[in-house]
Amino acid sequence: MPEGPEIRRAADNLEQAIGGEPLTEAWFAFPELQRYQATLVGERVTAIETRGKALLTHFSNGLTLYSHNQLYGVWRVVKANETPQSNRILRVRLATARKAILLYSASDIEMLDADTLAAHPFLQRVGPDVLDRTLDAATVKARLQSRRFCRRQFSGLLLDQAFLAGLGNYLRVEILWAVGLAPQHKAVDLSDAQLDALAHALLDVPRLSYTTRGTVDENRHHGALFRFHVFHRAGKKCERCGGIIEKTTLSSRPFYWCPGCQR
């Protein structure tokens, strides 16, 4: 399943395709959204924001299209007059004179105004996005030390979108390896130096993944850093200490770590 860096890269591609240009077509499969089709023609996409795995497509008339890909949703960019063959079910089509963006298979799609956007239950529930450049390590450290999160094991905390949006399994694995921590640790047990290192890694590793990520392959079940250090490397030597990387299951997801240097 794609994680925050892959979702942000997909949003970049969509924004590059149709951002700032007048819409010539807006089409929605769901009847409750079809009343917006005529309203959106002539409007522009002003920005596409990510909140974890949710996309917020902001229009120049103040409306926002909320979409969450969940397990099967996927966006594609095509030429304006192109209708590609696909076994997927088309849910949304937004087109300009040059390009069109198509959302397939997703079921969690809503049109929001300023009030419903502010009150949206998913957006209220998720934490700050790790790819939001206004989010800094000091804020992340404060969240780690907060009463709400400080006694949670990292194996579960780093998958909880209420803590930080955009993290997922491969990022959980690589972040904990980067700071040499075993997954059973809790923030309350760490030294100040360890907290600082973890707070920085929680931002640096996802941002490295976003910066170095290749084109998203929708047939893969996870994204990829430029090079994994431990993820999917069970049985191989740890490049830091030479120990053997192991695999287990934590919080119902595969977990990889080096027992030699993750203490």
Side-chain angles (χ1 to χ4, degrees):
M1 182 185 298
E3 301 179 19
E6 292 72 53
I7 300 296
R8 181 62 257 172
R9 187 173 289 275
D12 290 345
N13 291 337
L14 300 176
E15 195 169 354
Q16 183 178 15
I18 68 166
E21 299 182 18
L23 293 176
T24 58
E25 179 188 3
W27 180 89
F28 302 103
F30 298 141
E32 63 270 22
L33 297 178
Q34 290 173 358
R35 63 190 178 97
Y36 296 104
Q37 291 176 171
T39 303
L40 290 175
V41 172
E43 300 293 340
R44 292 169 168 80
V45 171
T46 58
I48 300 181
E49 179 186 356
T50 57
R51 291 288 300 276
K53 297 176 184 179
L55 259 64
L56 301 174
T57 302
H58 299 291
F59 300 102
S60 53
N61 63 356
L63 293 174
T64 295
L65 181 69
Y66 167 91
S67 61
H68 195 298
N69 284 7
Q70 299 174 311
L71 289 176
Y72 303 111
V74 60
W75 284 95
R76 289 180 179 167
V77 176
V78 299
K79 294 178 181 178
N81 58 355
E82 184 179 355
T83 304
Q85 294 295 316
S86 176
N87 292 327
R88 294 176 177 270
I89 301 172
L90 183 62
R91 304 296 196 190
V92 176
R93 178 183 175 92
L94 300 174
T96 66
R98 295 187 313 108
K99 297 283 188 177
I101 61 174
L102 313 178
L103 175 58
Y104 291 93
S105 303
S107 57
D108 192 3
I109 306 169
E110 301 175 60
M111 191 69 73
L112 308 174
D113 59 20
D115 292 335
T116 52
L117 179 64
H120 192 277
F122 176 84
L123 300 175
Q124 286 190 320
R125 188 169 65 248
V126 297
D129 194 290
V130 290
L131 293 175
D132 180 350
R133 292 294 175 174
T134 67
L135 180 63
D136 59 21
T139 302
V140 174
K141 183 179 179 181
R143 291 182 72 78
L144 283 167
Q145 294 176 301
S146 69
R147 180 178 297 181
R148 182 179 180 185
F149 300 121
C150 71
R151 298 187 182 276
R152 296 271 306 277
Q153 288 191 355
F154 295 142
S155 57
L157 180 63
L158 269 58
L159 296 179
D160 186 351
Q161 299 299 289
F163 170 55
L164 290 174
L167 296 180
N169 194 42
Y170 84 80
L171 291 173
R172 171 183 71 156
V173 166
E174 293 294 325
I175 287 166
L176 290 176
W177 181 85
V179 293
L181 290 174
Q184 69 269 19
H185 283 301
K186 307 171 186 177
V188 70
D189 300 323
L190 299 188
S191 67
D192 193 63
Q194 287 175 312
L195 284 169
D196 282 335
L198 179 57
H200 280 90
L202 284 163
L203 297 179
D204 292 345
V205 174
R207 291 171 182 180
L208 173 65
S209 180
Y210 165 70
T211 302
T212 61
R213 179 78 171 100
T215 303
V216 174
D217 182 348
E218 67 190 57
N219 296 313
R220 296 183 67 184
H221 297 295
H222 56 79
L225 293 170
F226 183 73
R227 182 172 60 86
F228 288 136
H229 297 286
V230 281
F231 189 70
H232 277 184
R233 299 192 71 242
K236 297 182 180 180
K237 287 187 176 181
C238 171
E239 63 189 60
R240 182 165 56 206
C241 74
I244 301 300
I245 295 167
E246 296 187 8
K247 177 184 177 182
T248 189
T249 299
L250 295 175
S251 299
S252 302
R253 304 293 302 277
F255 185 84
Y256 302 81
W257 88 106
C258 175
C261 59
Q262 286 181 256
R263 305 298 180 104

